[in-house]
Amino acid sequence: MNVLGYTLNQERIIQTVIPKIFKTFGGKIIFITDINWIDPQVLSAFIAKNGFSKKSYEFVFVIIRNYSCKPVLYWLPINGASIKYRLGQIVCSQPHSSKMVEVLLAAFRSDLHKKIKIIYLKRYFFRHKIILIIMKKTRIGIIGAGPSGLAQLRAFEAAKNEGLEVPEIVCFEKQSNWGGMWNYSWRTGVGKYGEPIHGSMYKYLWSNGPKECLEFSDYSFDEHFKKPISSYPPRPVLFDYIQGRIKKNNVRDYIRFDTTARWVSFDEDTQKFTVVLDDLKIDKTYKEKFDYLIVASGHFSTPNMPYFKGIEQYPGQVLHAHDFRGADQFKGQDLLLIGSSYSAEDIGVQCHKHGANSVTLSYRSSPIGVEWPEGIKEVPLLTHFEKETAYFKDGTSKKFDAVIMCTGYQHKFPFLPDEMRLKTKNNLYPDNLYKGIFFNELPRLIYLGMQDQYYTFNMFDTQAWVARDYMMETYKLPSKEERRLEINSWLHKNENLASSPDHVDFQTDYIKDLLALSNYPDFNVDQVAVMFKEWLKDKEKNILTYRDKTFQSVVTGTMAETHHTEWMDELDDSKERYLYEDESEEEAPKTVMAKIT
């Protein structure tokens, strides 16, 4: 919290602080004439006249008076139009006004004012010195209201629920709803207001990892759904779970929807960020200043689109996974998927499940390597096209009806200047981020969720809790040089990882490191790692049935229910179908059992 104090009715002192007031409060100069008593209406008018927002500033009038040879401080926090006197005593050996200012500022910085008894509003007609202290609240800007941005809002709400004073927070989301990638849209290319579409979500997407590995430590699936559910829910169910925690904590008021960040600058003198924003609904551009800036805009929305010779002559459909919205249109077709990422794996299996004639996956360096069912195969890298025929590095070729580029995404931050921009490929520990969070050249710039991910929701939480404590000044960062050494240590470990289980262990250690730094509710990270490794084996064993397995929650101990329908047979991904099976289907097994008996 930035604190500025000065004594009224002393022309010289006021003149010396005018430049600082101008810079701190945007040019608003404050003069108050001699006062013997304080009228709440006068003070309210003063606040309104000077245009100070009660969200951004706390106004405190302090009265210093000698009483029984001891200096006594009376201060009046003003919230909107209401005023409350707070009475406290601070003993000072030299009851001189300038000395009292120092004592007073020290008291506010030590949060002594939170422990002062509240008394009734009165008028004091005796002479006294009056000091005005304007405490400007720390302002925090968050870009993005997806899982990472929402985790940061939840972290501050948790502190608020503990009785702590939290900074002023504004979150900017360019979509019309929260949820980031989990907020499905039928649109591709550009959205309603001409902005590039953020989401890559598609119909029939089911979680490709156990829900028990991403469960919020402070909000379980049991608490949300009031009953056990299976380990691999579809997108609408997970989106409902994400919303449940946020709705419970009333953070929507922090978010400005349909608002996109255009540019960010940082002033070394004031240590503040200026963010240029567009309100897309009313086509208005404006600026806001912040003490800290959090980039939570994700890194799965700007596609990598490689070029292959002859592709411009290919007569079929070519799209990136970012624009894939469902497998229905590819029924009966021969599909070529370029890439060996999770998106290639999942889109390939989805299209196979929903009736594609064949799916061919082309890898660059190494295949996914699972036991593929009949109708799905992997081949080496595509070399070129000749009309509808694709040719591969191993000399084989085939005609295809459509091509889907599953070639990954770029970390793209067009609103940031070069010196503040994170530049990295998708990996488990991006360079230049201390603790995977703080931009090392400028720690007031915070990045959340920028890693390649095994852990997701719970990792974003652990990052957000540490970031919150730094911004609330309860967690101190070491020197830049010390931070660089630790970053290098993590980078060295990352470079020497040899297998997927190694990747799991690396990110598990990272989560443990963050958990040790904050009061985020602890959970059994080692057991989550065990589940991740089982999941990897399950996929290798059978890529079509691994979603039928169940796991036990490390938060509640609840064992997941087996879903009422095997995943390959379940063609409806709605929340209603998932949670409430048709009664006629529920009765069917009983009839069968009776016949067997």
Side-chain angles (χ1 to χ4, degrees):
M1 180 173 287
N2 303 316
V3 182
L4 176 64
Y6 60 93
T7 305
L8 300 180
N9 305 324
Q10 295 186 24
E11 187 76 14
R12 183 180 59 81
I13 295 178
I14 292 177
Q15 292 297 333
T16 59
V17 298
I18 281 178
K20 187 172 182 181
I21 295 173
F22 188 92
K23 182 176 287 186
T24 305
F25 301 109
K28 297 184 183 300
I29 311 301
I30 303 165
F31 294 97
I32 298 181
T33 58
D34 188 19
I35 303 173
N36 283 335
W37 55 271
I38 301 174
D39 188 314
Q41 292 182 351
V42 172
L43 296 184
S44 298
F46 165 76
I47 293 170
K49 181 179 179 181
N50 286 276
F52 290 115
S53 166
K54 66 181 181 181
K55 288 185 177 180
S56 300
Y57 301 91
E58 181 178 352
F59 298 86
V60 183
F61 279 81
V62 180
I63 307 164
I64 300 179
R65 175 174 177 258
N66 283 338
Y67 181 75
S68 301
C69 299
K70 293 181 180 179
V72 178
L73 305 184
Y74 302 86
W75 54 85
L76 297 72
I78 302 169
N79 182 11
S82 65
I83 302 173
K84 293 178 180 177
Y85 277 87
R86 292 188 179 184
L87 175 63
Q89 294 190 13
I90 299 179
V91 178
C92 177
S93 59
Q94 298 178 359
H96 185 268
S97 60
S98 60
K99 183 63 177 178
M100 285 305 302
V101 171
E102 296 176 15
V103 175
L104 180 64
L105 295 181
F108 272 85
R109 290 193 181 104
S110 66
D111 287 337
L112 182 63
H113 64 291
K114 294 179 182 176
K115 304 175 183 177
I116 304 303
K117 179 182 177 182
I118 298 176
I119 64 173
Y120 291 104
L121 177 66
K122 296 180 180 178
R123 289 182 177 180
Y124 292 91
F125 291 89
F126 44 76
R127 295 287 298 179
H128 41 246
K129 289 183 179 292
I130 296 178
I131 296 175
L132 170 63
I133 291 182
I134 301 178
M135 297 193 298
K136 190 172 188 208
K137 287 186 177 180
T138 299
R139 295 197 82 219
I140 294 171
I142 304 173
I143 299 176
S148 293
L150 294 176
Q152 191 65 77
L153 291 174
R154 169 65 189 124
F156 281 113
E157 278 296 294
K160 188 176 179 180
N161 292 339
E162 294 170 5
L164 300 177
E165 182 183 349
V166 300
E168 182 188 1
I169 305 160
V170 185
C171 179
F172 304 102
E173 170 55 54
K174 79 172 185 177
Q175 299 185 97
S176 298
N177 196 12
W178 53 29
M181 300 300 293
W182 293 92
N183 182 19
Y184 170 80
S185 171
W186 60 269
R187 298 177 186 272
T188 60
V190 298
K192 181 178 180 181
Y193 300 107
E195 295 295 307
I197 286 293
H198 179 79
S200 303
M201 194 58 61
Y202 47 89
K203 292 190 298 181
Y204 311 129
L205 181 141
W206 293 62
S207 176
N208 66 343
K211 76 179 194 305
E212 290 78 12
C213 293
L214 55 79
E215 190 168 18
F216 296 123
S217 185
D218 66 343
Y219 187 73
S220 67
F221 281 96
D222 286 358
E223 179 180 352
H224 182 75
F225 291 106
K226 311 302 181 187
K227 66 177 184 179
I229 62 173
S230 70
S231 287
Y232 292 88
R235 182 207 65 83
V237 174
L238 282 174
F239 184 53
D240 190 68
Y241 173 60
I242 295 169
Q243 289 194 101
R245 183 172 77 151
I246 296 304
K247 288 179 179 178
K248 178 183 176 182
N249 290 279
N250 301 316
V251 302
R252 199 174 186 93
D253 289 344
Y254 295 119
I255 306 172
R256 297 182 194 171
F257 294 102
D258 298 308
T259 301
T260 189
R262 292 297 186 208
W263 192 246
V264 174
S265 58
F266 183 73
D267 190 317
E268 290 287 350
D269 294 331
T270 63
Q271 292 289 291
K272 293 183 185 298
F273 296 92
T274 298
V275 184
V276 180
L277 301 146
D278 269 358
D279 185 323
L280 301 175
K281 274 189 174 181
I282 61 175
D283 193 23
K284 177 184 177 182
T285 301
Y286 64 100
K287 297 179 181 179
E288 297 223 4
K289 293 183 182 294
F290 297 97
D291 299 286
Y292 298 91
L293 186 64
I294 299 163
V295 179
S297 53
H299 57 96
F300 294 112
S301 59
T302 303
N304 280 317
M305 280 292 276
Y307 171 78
F308 294 93
K309 183 180 177 181
I311 196 169
E312 63 272 22
Q313 303 299 325
Y314 175 74
Q317 182 181 10
V318 179
L319 70 155
H320 192 274
H322 178 62
D323 295 321
F324 178 80
R325 289 296 178 266
D328 296 334
Q329 63 178 306
F330 301 110
K331 187 175 182 179
Q333 295 188 7
D334 294 311
L335 300 180
L336 172 61
L337 274 61
I338 301 174
S340 56
S341 63
Y342 286 131
S343 60
E345 172 188 291
D346 196 63
I347 290 174
V349 171
Q350 294 280 2
C351 290
H352 172 78
K353 175 181 175 178
H354 287 270
N357 186 57
S358 71
V359 175
T360 301
L361 296 95
S362 172
Y363 60 88
R364 182 176 58 182
S365 52
S366 59
I368 296 172
V370 302
E371 292 291 329
W372 296 107
E374 184 178 352
I376 304 179
K377 68 176 182 179
E378 287 189 274
V379 297
L381 185 64
L382 170 73
T383 59
H384 66 283
F385 287 95
E386 290 182 8
K387 295 186 177 179
E388 70 270 25
T389 302
Y391 292 83
F392 302 98
K393 197 173 181 179
D394 63 354
T396 61
S397 63
K398 184 176 179 176
K399 293 182 178 181
F400 292 100
D401 299 300
V403 178
I404 304 175
M405 300 280 192
C406 301
T407 45
Y409 296 86
Q410 304 174 42
H411 285 66
K412 198 78 170 178
F413 311 103
F415 50 86
L416 290 173
D418 187 70
E419 66 273 14
M420 287 191 270
R421 193 176 299 155
L422 178 65
K423 299 175 182 179
T424 181
K425 293 182 179 179
N426 192 30
N427 70 92
L428 292 171
Y429 205 95
D431 196 2
N432 294 316
L433 291 184
Y434 178 67
K435 298 297 182 185
I437 303 170
F438 306 102
F439 194 60
N440 201 40
E441 296 299 316
L442 179 59
R444 286 175 175 267
L445 178 61
I446 293 167
Y447 285 90
L448 296 182
M450 294 299 158
Q451 295 76 7
D452 193 6
Q453 298 152 8
Y454 284 86
Y455 295 82
T456 52
F457 299 166
N458 42 19
M459 180 174 73
F460 306 151
D461 272 8
T462 56
Q463 291 178 332
W465 255 251
V466 173
R468 175 204 68 186
D469 290 349
Y470 166 68
M471 289 181 280
M472 292 181 66
E473 300 182 353
T474 59
Y475 169 61
K476 306 295 183 184
L477 299 186
S479 69
K480 181 180 176 180
E481 292 72 24
E482 292 172 304
R483 299 196 301 265
R484 183 70 254 176
L485 288 173
E486 182 171 322
I487 292 170
N488 290 343
S489 175
W490 282 103
L491 292 176
H492 178 72
K493 293 175 186 176
N494 189 23
E495 289 170 359
N496 290 285
L497 301 176
S499 65
S500 294
D502 289 344
H503 294 164
V504 171
D505 289 338
F506 178 88
Q507 198 154 77
T508 299
D509 289 341
Y510 170 65
I511 299 290
K512 287 181 178 179
D513 184 52
L514 295 182
L515 283 171
L517 299 176
S518 76
N519 66 345
Y520 182 71
D522 201 6
F523 62 99
N524 190 339
V525 194
D526 290 323
Q527 184 56 36
V528 174
V530 170
M531 289 191 283
F532 271 127
K533 292 172 185 177
E534 287 185 30
W535 162 72
L536 290 168
K537 292 178 182 177
D538 291 341
K539 288 203 301 176
E540 288 181 6
K541 185 177 179 181
N542 194 322
I543 194 68
L544 299 183
T545 63
Y546 76 90
R547 285 184 171 99
D548 296 324
K549 276 204 64 174
T550 57
F551 292 87
Q552 186 176 28
S553 168
V554 298
V555 177
T556 64
T558 298
M559 189 69 190
E561 286 285 321
T562 300
H563 188 49
H564 51 67
T565 306
E566 290 184 355
W567 183 77
M568 277 297 292
D569 295 328
E570 182 60 275
L571 302 180
D572 184 344
D573 66 343
S574 68
K575 184 179 74 170
E576 292 73 21
R577 164 67 183 173
Y578 177 81
L579 293 175
Y580 307 104
E581 183 185 9
D582 185 81
E583 290 184 5
S584 63
E585 294 184 9
E586 289 180 355
E587 293 298 324
K590 295 180 182 179
T591 305
V592 173
M593 288 299 294
K595 290 181 179 179
I596 293 173
T597 303

